[in-house]
Amino acid sequence: GESVGLHLPTLSVQEGDNSIINCAYSNSASDYFIWYKQESGKGPQFIIDIRSNMDKRQGQRVTVLLNKTVKHLSLQIAATQPGDSAVYFCAERSQGAGGTSYGKLTFGQGTILTVHP
Amino acid sequence: NAGVTQTPKFRVLKTGQSMTLLCAQDMNHEYMYWYRQDPGMGLRLIHYSVGEGTTAKGEVPDGYNVSRLKKQNFLLGLESAAPSQTSVYFCASSSRTSGRSVETPYFGPGTRLLVL
């Protein structure tokens, strides 16, 4: 039968192109967002984060944009390289009681990015 | 620093067998977590710990137990494995910064578990 993994959104780009990976989050009270990269057979690796009081944050070759109005998060990767091929997850954190959330995150299912040389 | 390490990397169990997954972190993090990852389901929190000697249930705790006897270690136990527990298990840790927020969890490499 069809692998459930094939239901993940996919993005294929050519090496050197810019990539944009999108994520819709669910909780308007979420205050912190993270993008993770997961290569095959490895654990999620932190890429970049952003707090809800910001709408843009830049890292090395990556930019995260946050649109709270429509609860949308995007990750932009400049000059995409074959080594960027992976599954990319967004995660949102909601504040818990007393303003602490103990890092409990809600993860999206991910987007498969494939970069062709 | 090794970061977050997990043992074993891979294990096959028969239904009803028990096992313990080990997680260690050398970053002096207060918080530790166990997640499971299944195709199409994303990462789901099983149990977590906010400090040595404390544990709490996450989103999918049934069939699992945990212990945090030392700050650097977080153990996940399966008392009677079931095929539904076939998954990839990730341990993570994070640190409370000054103020009230907990920062980004760092993940281990994962343990692949197959229950027959």
Side-chain angles (χ1 to χ4, degrees):
Chain A
E2 183 181 26
S3 168
V4 176
L6 290 176
H7 292 166
L8 290 181
T10 59
L11 175 64
S12 292
V13 301
Q14 291 296 127
E15 181 178 1
D17 288 350
N18 296 332
S19 302
I20 300 177
I21 301 170
N22 297 304
C23 177
Y25 64 94
S26 58
N27 191 339
S28 58
S30 293
D31 69 336
Y32 179 59
F33 304 87
I34 308 171
W35 279 101
Y36 283 97
K37 172 187 180 182
Q38 187 174 24
E39 297 174 278
S40 180
K42 297 184 178 180
Q45 178 185 0
F46 170 83
I47 300 174
I48 192 168
D49 59 1
I50 189 169
R51 298 190 183 279
S52 59
N53 60 356
M54 303 171 66
D55 54 18
K56 180 179 181 179
R57 190 169 187 215
Q58 289 185 294
Q60 186 177 16
R61 278 202 309 120
V62 295
T63 301
V64 55
L65 299 177
L66 175 62
N67 185 331
K68 295 182 289 293
T69 302
V70 295
K71 292 190 287 186
H72 184 267
L73 196 66
S74 68
L75 176 70
Q76 300 178 0
I77 304 174
T80 315
Q81 303 167 1
D84 294 326
S85 294
V87 177
Y88 290 80
F89 297 94
C90 65
E92 61 181 299
R93 186 187 72 194
S94 302
Q95 284 293 320
T100 60
S101 60
Y102 308 115
K104 287 193 292 182
L105 302 173
T106 300
F107 288 86
Q109 293 186 20
T111 296
I112 301 172
L113 174 66
T114 303
V115 182
H116 300 283
Chain B
N1 287 350
V4 179
T5 57
Q6 295 181 231
T7 54
K9 288 183 171 55
F10 177 70
R11 183 77 183 268
V12 179
L13 289 180
K14 295 181 180 179
T15 297
Q17 287 185 317
S18 64
M19 78 164 293
T20 299
L21 281 66
L22 309 179
C23 176
Q25 53 94 4
D26 61 1
M27 297 174 283
N28 202 34
H29 284 173
E30 297 87 355
Y31 300 99
M32 296 187 75
Y33 318 83
W34 276 106
Y35 287 88
R36 60 177 290 173
Q37 185 177 43
D38 304 291
M41 299 290 288
L43 286 156
R44 292 182 292 168
L45 182 66
I46 304 171
H47 286 280
Y48 65 99
S49 167
V50 302
E52 182 178 328
T54 69
T55 62
K57 294 180 180 180
E59 182 185 354
V60 288
D62 294 342
Y64 305 95
N65 57 76
V66 288
S67 64
R68 182 101 182 266
L69 299 180
K70 293 182 179 180
K71 185 177 184 180
Q72 64 267 34
N73 296 334
F74 195 29
L75 309 182
L76 178 70
L78 285 72
E79 291 186 347
S80 180
S84 61
Q85 294 178 303
T86 293
S87 188
V88 181
Y89 292 87
F90 289 101
C91 178
S93 69
S94 66
S95 176
R96 177 187 287 276
T97 59
S98 59
R100 59 182 173 85
S101 298
V102 176
E103 301 302 336
T104 311
Y106 291 86
F107 284 85
T111 295
R112 291 183 176 275
L113 177 64
L114 174 61
V115 183
L116 301 175

